[in-house]
Amino acid sequence: MKINDWVYTFDAEIEMFKNFYLPVRSTVLRLNNGDSIMVSPIDFTEADWAQIKSNLQVRHIVAPCDLHHLFVKSAKNHLKNAKLWATKELAHKRNDLTWDFELLPKNWTMGDEIEVIPILGGSTHEMMLYHKQAKTLVVTDLIFNLHNRKGFLTWVIQQAFGTWNKPAISRWFKSTLKNKKEFKITAEKILSLDIEIIVMAHGDIIAENAKGVLTNALRERNLI
């Protein structure tokens, strides 16, 4: 789906286990020179690949945290000339892949258009991407926005996570934060940005009052 001239999204759903369904999303961010960056590859359909290859010149594939990497190999097989980016921890975990760059702000060469922002203090080593022109923040597990999902176990788990039928930071995500003071530095950083859209890996895109929604979610978990 085209969000605007710089942001495209592709959605799927996975059954984590019986009666627990989770939506997943990959985001493609376009640069002004026409090149694109794919964030969190999913199990794309053939129709998805046709659209990607015809409309989006993907030059970079980003695995933004320790948990969103299952379809990087497939994406690389389809996009053989794309460069692979991962954190040091993920590159060690997925040493079956040849990673081109460590995903760090100091290594990122496209910072004039898209900023890489580490989530400090977290054990999943998540990196967010902020597209400056699109005023769009792309996250993986920082915030969920799940509504009316099917499956009884889905309801049970999302109730336990505190993410049922609302945009929220999950209790699970909060548990991965080992240094709350460091995370507050990250929270201050992202809340200083001009954010109009939040695209997350799980749930509905937030395109109205995005910064306010994120602020309320952080407050609900006492993270600011």
Side-chain angles (χ1 to χ4, degrees):
M1 179 173 66
K2 182 178 179 179
I3 306 300
N4 52 48
D5 289 341
W6 300 279
V7 183
Y8 297 75
T9 61
F10 299 85
D11 293 358
E13 184 177 71
I14 56 175
E15 187 174 10
M16 301 291 289
F17 38 89
K18 188 173 178 60
N19 287 321
F20 177 34
Y21 299 89
L22 191 65
V24 292
R25 174 177 295 116
S26 180
T27 305
V28 177
L29 302 174
R30 177 172 272 169
L31 299 166
N32 284 326
N33 67 3
D35 291 350
S36 296
I37 300 160
M38 177 181 287
V39 185
S40 296
I42 60 174
D43 188 12
F44 295 108
T45 65
E46 289 305 313
D48 289 338
W49 278 121
Q51 181 182 352
I52 290 166
K53 291 180 179 181
S54 63
N55 298 326
L56 300 167
Q57 300 176 39
V58 176
R59 305 300 187 204
H60 304 272
I61 299 170
V62 173
C65 71
D66 293 358
L67 303 176
H68 285 246
H69 57 83
L70 295 179
F71 298 101
V72 170
K73 187 173 184 178
S74 173
K76 177 65 173 178
N77 287 338
H78 280 86
L79 305 166
K80 297 188 184 300
N81 294 324
K83 301 298 184 183
L84 295 184
W85 294 78
T87 63
K88 177 177 65 177
E89 294 79 9
L90 179 57
H92 178 73
K93 178 179 178 180
R94 288 297 308 271
N95 58 14
D96 58 310
L97 294 169
T98 301
W99 300 94
D100 296 289
F101 300 103
E102 182 179 353
L103 185 58
L104 287 172
K106 67 179 183 181
N107 296 338
W108 187 250
T109 57
M110 295 152 283
D112 56 332
E113 295 184 55
I114 298 173
E115 188 174 355
V116 169
I117 305 171
I119 292 185
L120 302 177
S123 60
T124 65
H125 310 106
E126 180 174 337
M127 297 281 183
M128 301 172 289
L129 284 85
Y130 174 66
H131 196 298
K132 297 176 182 179
Q133 273 185 285
K135 299 180 181 180
T136 297
L137 183 69
V138 179
V139 306
T140 39
D141 296 322
L142 170 66
I143 185 169
F144 286 23
N145 190 23
L146 302 169
H147 296 267
N148 303 315
R149 306 306 305 176
K150 65 182 179 182
F152 175 72
L153 196 55
T154 304
W155 177 83
V156 171
I157 292 172
Q158 295 306 324
Q159 285 281 9
F161 279 12
T163 55
W164 181 255
N165 276 357
K166 65 177 182 179
I169 293 169
S170 71
R171 296 186 181 102
W172 165 80
F173 180 84
K174 185 177 180 180
S175 75
T176 70
L177 300 176
K178 305 307 178 185
N179 189 319
K180 302 297 194 303
K181 289 183 178 179
E182 284 191 354
F183 178 77
K184 285 188 175 181
I185 296 172
T186 300
E188 290 173 2
K189 164 67 179 176
I190 56 178
L191 292 180
S192 73
L193 300 172
D194 186 4
I195 299 171
E196 294 184 355
I197 301 171
I198 299 174
V199 179
M200 68 287 293
H202 308 294
D204 299 339
I205 293 167
I206 301 170
E208 293 185 11
N209 188 30
K211 189 187 286 192
V213 170
L214 180 58
T215 300
N216 290 338
L218 289 164
R219 284 179 178 151
E220 182 185 24
R221 297 285 175 249
N222 296 314
L223 292 173
I224 57 173

